[in-house]
Amino acid sequence: MIGDIRETEECQLKDPMDLFHSGQVVKICAPMVRYSKLAFRTLVRKYSCDLCYTPMIVAADFVRSAKARDSEFTTNKGDHPLIVQFAAKEAQVLCDAARIVCPFADGIDLNCGCPQRWAISEGYGACLINKPELVKDMVRHVRSQIDNPKFSVSIKIRIHEDLKRTVDLCQKAEAAGVSWITVHGRSIEERHQPVHYDAIKIIKQSMSIPVVANGDIKTLKDAENVHHLTEADGIMVARGLLANPAMFAGYEETPFQCIQDWVDIALEHGTPFTCFHHHLMYMMERITSKQEKKVFNVLSSTSAVLDYLNDHYGVW
């Protein structure tokens, strides 16, 4: 982390709220475990992504361990605006984590939406939507302890079965000074059920701060439709960007130039092979035959992948 972070000391941090005041829908790369790291953020920024999140980082580990900081958070001077997402359940721990990243990022986000069992059993993620006073306290603490007024503090949530509880949570967070709220339009229990875009619209109409819509957005057309359905100020995409990092630039499937860009960026950043390969598997899902996938998906070295791309697609 430190080597790359030093570069950012010369960079100009940005005010993410400027994006929401631009009059355009803000296009956002979601926090994705293992995937929304620096190299991938660098790629999607080339293709009209306005704002990127890091993968979720457990704040307590980040504060306690230099090793965790080095492995979990890497950035550079082109990686802005950048939001660092934390899992936290104590206000002061979140503040301490925010203070560490404040010189190098443009804001933090509190994860109140992760539905995984391990997170909920630890008191992180989606269980926080049932603790509105704690969320309010955490937002307020960060607001009061970070001197930079442009440093954003946002939250990402899921919805309750009873939407009044969600609106109450959002209004409490707004009163505490939250910058914006991202709403994944499913409850904790829902996984592949249709997203409740109508719920996101109700939340948006109840707030005077920006609201970001998240859930099942696979194409730029989907993003436009969800914007119209919800009136959201921003659109956050996860799997849609994995499958097509050029999605926000209007491409319906990953263009070969984007694959070439990923190869160049990943090699430059020293991306571990598994991550490098997995991203390519996602990107090429729609443009390769079943037979090609059988061969490509079992390649086991960077050189084998590069040879395959060169032989079959003239990439690299």
Side-chain angles (χ1 to χ4, degrees):
M1 174 182 82
I2 301 303
D4 273 336
I5 270 189
R6 280 197 188 118
E7 288 184 47
T8 66
E9 289 173 2
E10 301 163 15
C11 82
Q12 185 65 48
L13 295 179
K14 299 182 180 179
D15 183 350
M17 291 303 293
D18 288 346
L19 292 170
F20 290 105
H21 295 144
S22 70
Q24 304 294 315
V25 181
V26 183
K27 301 187 284 292
I28 304 170
C29 178
M32 291 180 277
V33 176
R34 293 185 300 279
Y35 293 122
S36 52
K37 296 201 168 186
L38 175 60
F40 187 68
R41 298 194 302 265
T42 303
L43 179 66
V44 296
R45 289 185 196 279
K46 284 178 72 85
Y47 289 91
S48 302
C49 185
D50 300 316
L51 180 64
C52 292
Y53 281 53
T54 68
M56 181 183 77
I57 299 168
V58 177
D61 296 343
F62 190 80
V63 170
R64 187 170 50 238
S65 161
K67 185 177 178 185
R69 292 194 289 277
D70 287 344
S71 65
E72 297 287 342
F73 180 53
T74 309
T75 187
N76 64 25
K77 60 188 176 184
D79 188 29
H80 294 278
L82 175 66
I83 305 301
V84 183
Q85 191 189 64
F86 286 114
K89 57 186 175 181
E90 296 164 285
Q92 193 53 52
V93 172
L94 182 62
C95 287
D96 293 343
R99 197 177 288 114
I100 292 168
V101 300
C102 184
F104 316 112
D106 305 283
I108 62 146
D109 184 82
L110 174 63
N111 185 314
C112 305
C114 178
Q116 292 183 43
R117 271 201 207 101
W118 76 265
I120 290 172
S121 68
E122 293 282 337
Y124 299 135
C127 69
L128 291 176
I129 66 172
N130 297 317
K131 300 175 181 178
E133 293 299 332
L134 176 57
V135 172
K136 183 178 175 181
D137 191 43
M138 287 198 274
V139 170
R140 184 176 283 152
H141 263 73
V142 178
R143 269 276 168 257
S144 66
Q145 291 189 32
I146 298 294
D147 292 335
N148 180 0
K150 294 183 177 180
F151 190 80
S152 66
V153 182
S154 56
I155 62 173
K156 184 173 187 287
I157 66 169
R158 283 184 170 240
I159 59 173
H160 299 85
E161 300 282 341
D162 177 2
L163 203 57
K164 287 177 189 165
R165 295 179 64 197
T166 316
V167 170
D168 176 66
L169 166 70
C170 292
Q171 289 176 340
K172 282 187 165 74
E174 180 176 5
V178 82
S179 305
W180 70 83
I181 296 174
T182 300
V183 183
H184 181 94
R186 290 187 176 101
S187 69
I188 296 173
E189 292 76 25
E190 291 175 321
R191 290 294 185 274
H192 304 293
Q193 291 89 335
V195 177
H196 302 286
Y197 296 120
D198 55 334
I200 300 176
K201 181 174 183 176
I202 290 167
I203 293 164
K204 168 61 189 168
Q205 290 173 338
S206 308
M207 314 297 294
S208 57
I209 56 169
V211 169
V212 173
N214 173 234
D216 278 6
I217 298 160
K218 305 285 174 54
T219 66
L220 187 59
K221 187 74 180 159
D222 287 347
E224 289 164 355
N225 289 341
V226 170
H227 169 63
H228 290 307
L229 284 169
T230 63
E231 300 171 7
D233 304 275
I235 299 292
M236 177 183 281
V237 179
R239 284 173 295 181
L241 278 174
L242 283 182
N244 179 7
M247 184 194 111
F248 283 141
Y251 292 92
E252 293 191 7
E253 57 187 34
T254 310
F256 287 116
Q257 182 58 51
C258 184
I259 294 170
Q260 178 71 68
D261 288 338
W262 170 245
V263 170
D264 294 342
I265 291 165
L267 293 179
E268 184 186 335
H269 283 82
T271 301
F273 172 73
T274 302
C275 181
F276 169 64
H277 190 208
H278 279 188
H279 273 295
L280 286 168
M281 286 160 63
Y282 278 115
M283 288 182 211
M284 295 168 65
E285 174 71 26
R286 297 181 200 162
I287 57 177
T288 52
S289 66
K290 198 175 279 188
Q291 190 55 43
E292 285 174 319
K293 287 183 186 65
K294 276 184 184 172
V295 176
F296 184 79
N297 292 0
V298 297
L299 296 176
S300 57
S301 70
T302 299
S303 58
V305 167
L306 296 178
D307 287 344
Y308 184 95
L309 292 174
N310 192 24
D311 293 345
H312 289 75
Y313 301 107
V315 172
W316 215 90

